[in-house]
């Protein structure tokens, strides 16, 4: 489970450039889907990596799945040496993606995002159209399960669908 | 023109909404979410996550008792 308020407010308050993607984004668009983690598409600029570390460092991120006895350092250098990360933290699992399949990198994701206000903060969230494109591109069994609901939502919200 | 809620509660045959219903999606849940604010939706999600954690704890405790 992820503590959403802690994670999202830390990111916004540290001025991190990110777009919410994945299950939390789907929820904000009115899906009844339940996720357990937080997925972000993030900017790879040096300054943003510094801000990401400032925002999330206090939650002691570690690469998921590595043994507890192995050392792991969460810093800008670690982020610079990879692109996609799956972290366990003291507040839950957080996945950082530099690029979203079917959508593109942070710049494109930001263009294809909409603003939602949660926890008294404005947060960029991948649009319903882009989430559908991402799910169609990923096409894993879990994506196939959520796609019919997203397509139904899009049709319901489209004033020109009937 | 029908509202999103009307479309979801009475899907047009052959529509994506009808496909979702036939797939097994409970469209009334979507209607319920559409009536809520983004903050209420995210609060609901957090509550559901907490409920899952509690369920897992109860299941583990039960297994330990056996």
């Amino acid at each position: 489970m992820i503590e959403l308020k802690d994670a999202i407010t830390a990111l916004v308050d540290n001025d991190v450039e990110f777009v919410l993607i994945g299950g939390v984004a789907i929820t904000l668009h009115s899906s009844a889907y339940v996720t357990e983690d937080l997925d972000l598409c993030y900017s790879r600029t040096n300054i943003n990596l510094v801000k990401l570390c400032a925002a999330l460092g206090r939650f002691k991120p570690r690469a998921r799945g590595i043994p507890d006895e192995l050392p792991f350092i969460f810093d800008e250098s670690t982020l610079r040496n990879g692109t996609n990360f799956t972290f366990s933290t003291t507040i839950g699992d957080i996945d950082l993606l530099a690029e979203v399949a079917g959508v593109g990198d942070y710049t494109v994701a930001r263009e294809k995002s909409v603003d939602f206000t949660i926890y008294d903060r404005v947060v960029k969230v991948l649009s319903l159209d882009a989430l559908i494109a991402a799910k169609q591109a990923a096409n894993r069994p879990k994506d196939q399960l959520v796609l019919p609901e997203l397509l139904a939502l899009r049709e319901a919200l489209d004033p020109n669908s009937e | 023109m029908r509202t999103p809620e009307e479309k979801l509660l009475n899907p047009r045959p052959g529509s994506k909404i009808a496909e979702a219903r036939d797939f097994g999606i409970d469209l009334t849940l979507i209607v319920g979410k559409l009536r809520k604010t983004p903050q209420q939706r995210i609060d609901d999600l957090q509550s559901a996550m907490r409920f899952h954690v509690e369920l897992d704890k109860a299941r583990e405790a039960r297994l330990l008792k056996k």
Side-chain angles (χ1 to χ4, degrees):
Chain A
M1 185 190 81
I2 176 78
E3 294 291 346
L4 291 167
K5 184 177 183 183
D6 291 346
I8 291 169
T9 57
L11 289 161
V12 175
D13 293 351
N14 280 278
D15 206 20
V16 175
E17 290 184 313
F18 72 98
V19 175
L20 282 181
I21 59 175
V24 174
I26 287 171
T27 294
L28 284 166
H29 284 289
S30 297
S31 163
Y33 179 82
V34 176
T35 186
E36 293 291 324
D37 64 0
L38 181 66
D39 301 321
L40 316 173
C41 179
Y42 69 103
S43 162
R44 296 272 302 156
T45 62
N46 285 336
I47 184 67
N48 200 52
L49 299 186
V50 172
K51 289 175 180 176
L52 258 174
C53 290
L56 300 180
R58 81 190 77 162
F59 305 127
K60 300 183 171 39
R62 285 180 57 81
R64 269 205 310 277
I66 67 163
D68 289 344
E69 60 272 20
L70 285 183
F72 180 81
I73 298 171
F74 177 78
D75 62 9
E76 301 97 86
S77 176
T78 300
L79 294 179
R80 207 169 287 122
N81 287 327
T83 49
N84 295 343
F85 301 91
T86 55
F87 291 120
S88 59
T89 77
T90 55
I91 57 167
D93 292 342
I94 301 176
D95 295 350
L96 304 181
L97 278 73
E99 190 166 323
V100 184
V103 178
D105 65 7
Y106 168 77
T107 307
V108 182
R110 184 187 160 94
E111 284 169 8
K112 295 184 176 180
S113 70
V114 289
D115 289 345
F116 280 90
T117 299
I118 47 175
Y119 307 121
D120 298 321
R121 289 151 177 88
V122 177
V123 180
K124 300 227 165 281
V125 178
L126 201 59
S127 70
L128 192 52
D129 281 341
L131 282 167
I132 289 169
K135 292 290 174 193
Q136 286 172 332
N139 203 31
R140 298 160 299 184
K142 70 173 187 175
D143 301 308
Q144 293 164 8
L145 284 175
V146 78
L147 259 173
E149 185 179 10
L150 296 183
L151 292 168
L153 253 173
R154 178 165 69 179
E155 190 173 73
L157 296 170
D158 180 359
N160 301 313
S161 70
E162 291 185 359
Chain B
M1 187 165 41
R2 298 202 298 162
T3 65
E5 193 166 321
E6 288 167 341
K7 291 181 200 173
L8 287 162
L9 293 176
N10 292 295
R12 181 173 45 83
S15 65
K16 292 291 181 190
I17 299 172
E19 274 182 35
R21 179 199 58 201
D22 297 343
F23 184 75
I25 304 293
D26 184 345
L27 298 173
T28 62
L29 290 178
I30 304 179
V31 170
K33 297 291 180 193
L34 283 171
R35 289 176 182 167
K36 295 187 174 184
T37 65
Q39 185 61 57
Q40 289 170 326
R41 292 173 201 154
I42 206 110
D43 288 342
D44 284 354
L45 174 62
Q46 189 76 79
S47 296
M49 289 181 189
R50 293 196 200 290
F51 180 63
H52 281 190
V53 169
E54 291 305 315
L55 275 181
D56 282 345
K57 282 182 188 170
R59 189 169 50 227
E60 282 170 22
R62 192 185 168 108
L63 286 173
L64 282 175
K65 272 186 185 173
K66 282 186 178 176

